[in-house]
Amino acid sequence: IYHLNCLSPQDSSSVMEWDQVSGEKSLHLLESQQSYETEWDMVNAVSFKKKSCSNGEGKFCALALKTDLRSITVKEEGWTFLVLKLKDSCSSLPALHFHHGGSREFLDSLRRFALLSEAPEDDTCLMVSTPNRALSQSFENLLDDNNFGLVQKFRKDPYVTTLGGFSKVTNYIFDAFRGTEEQHQRPPEEVELLGEVIPGLEINQQEEPGFEVITRIDLGTRPEVNRTGPLSSEDWIRHQDTEGRMINIPLLKQVIFKGGLCHALRKEAWKFLLGYVPWDSTLEERKVLQRSRTDEYFRMKLQWKSVSEEQERRNSRLRDYRSLIEKDVNRTDRSNRFYEGMDNPGLVLLHDILMTYCMFDFDLGYVQGMSDLLSPILYVMENEVDAFWCFVCFMDQMHQNFEEQMQGMKTQLIQLSTLLRLLDLSFWNYLESQDSGFLYFCFRWLLIRFKRELSFQDVLRLWEVMWTGLPCDNFHLLVCCAILDSEKQKIMEENYGFNEILKHINELSMKLDIEDILQKAEGICEQITSCKVRSATSDNEYVQQRQITSLKVHSATSANEYVQQRQITSLKVRSATSDNEP
């Protein structure tokens, strides 16, 4: 192991020198690698060799980071060099030059101990977020002899570990999303995300006298809503014209949102809801589309089916995708009759569709959790081609959940936390006091849309309701709020801490009533919408009052203007004394 020395740190032309570390210090560094000490974590040895020294011996290099990094900028000038900036300084450390390769291996090793994400304004700059020591300790408290080593598993693959159980959604996601110490205080900009949660909801963030931001407005009583029965085949046919086009689509979506679909309709209706076939297409146009999509699907399937063993040995990504898919397929919904038993044809279709999707979107490929999204679709469609294209449409919605930087998950968790703070500030404050205000225990809910929380049939009902896009695009966040609203009393009365909250939420799996949840979620949406209307009315009255008042400020430049001003002032006084005015 070698230690990095900076010579002449005040000089911009400083050079780097690698000094060999003593045996005792080397042992200390190796031991520190197993800890969660932020300032002394060691990056694993970079997998490249330095140029041979005068004595002819090659050296492997490692870097012990003594200070938190803010960013790493990757630059190219015939070779790669990295510019490191510290959090507590605007200046940069002397650049690390990689004349003989190894910069990528260096960054890959660093990613094991910190989250590196591209800066939005500069794709050559990687922002660094490192784990928080105190929060990591809460994760250690969850571990026992039976699941020791969970930290390493979670760091290696958060998706696999997350889908396995409650204790696996803690330190990695908690720290990666929460970021550095400076971000522990929630920035005010997060309030703006509420408009994305409920599209069309305008938020008054100006601290004007008599007006408050919407997060502190009394939402009023939550209205009672009623749900109806599922849409029947007869009602579906009544929404078609003579050529097979769907008509009265807004009404049709509303009926589906309020009650879902009878199972016999799902095979046809899901294609419309997911966007696989257009609502205004005729029956003949849908047949043409089906033939075209079938040809396209089997061309892509042939691409991976025709890869020889020799080719696959030279294609590590395809080999890894195949291995991961085979493992996941063998443990996806095996209790469902459609997938149970050995040599089940449903499992073969599940495998083939996922492999073909890798050809369709090779950049994303396959990430664990995607089999959970495909399984219900294949169950409903009972057709390989239709299931594939419906899955493609669903993945268009869910793509960001599975991207490497998990930006979609981060955004949804911030939105959910902001929404809960609006709906129930006291409960949000309690969760915040238990280091749970960022709602990381909801990670699995959002990642695979409650697939592991509900029974299989309830998942079908929930998904078709959400696919209507009513009453807002992010209705799944209101579903989260509805579940939390049902559990808040127990959580607060029992004084659950961080670990108990995780355990309790995990144990809700297969115990949730989907109709009760949907009813409550719809009620929450109507409650917010009615608050928005009241807030908008208040804003209009306030603007009118300010406009009248502003007239008094201007000097009267003529007798007519003076008289008009007096009339307005008199009007305002009479209006203020009226019993009808608040």
Side-chain angles (χ1 to χ4, degrees), residues 193 196 400 406-416 477:
L193 288 170
E196 300 176 20
Q400 281 196 318
M406 292 183 283
Q407 185 58 46
M409 293 300 302
K410 178 180 179 180
T411 300
Q412 288 175 86
L413 286 168
I414 293 174
Q415 290 175 333
L416 178 58
L477 299 182

Side-chain angles (χ1 to χ4, degrees), residues 25 104-105 112 129 152 159 162 238 262 271 295 307 331 335 369 372 379 400 404 463 469 481 512 526:
K25 192 170 184 180
R104 179 172 297 181
E105 290 82 353
R112 296 182 55 203
S129 299
Q152 289 79 5
Y159 292 103
T162 296
R238 279 196 287 269
C262 68
K271 298 174 187 177
D295 292 342
V307 172
R331 56 192 179 195
S335 60
D372 281 283
Y379 170 83
Q400 281 196 318
E404 185 175 0
W463 285 7
C481 290
L512 299 171
E526 291 191 10

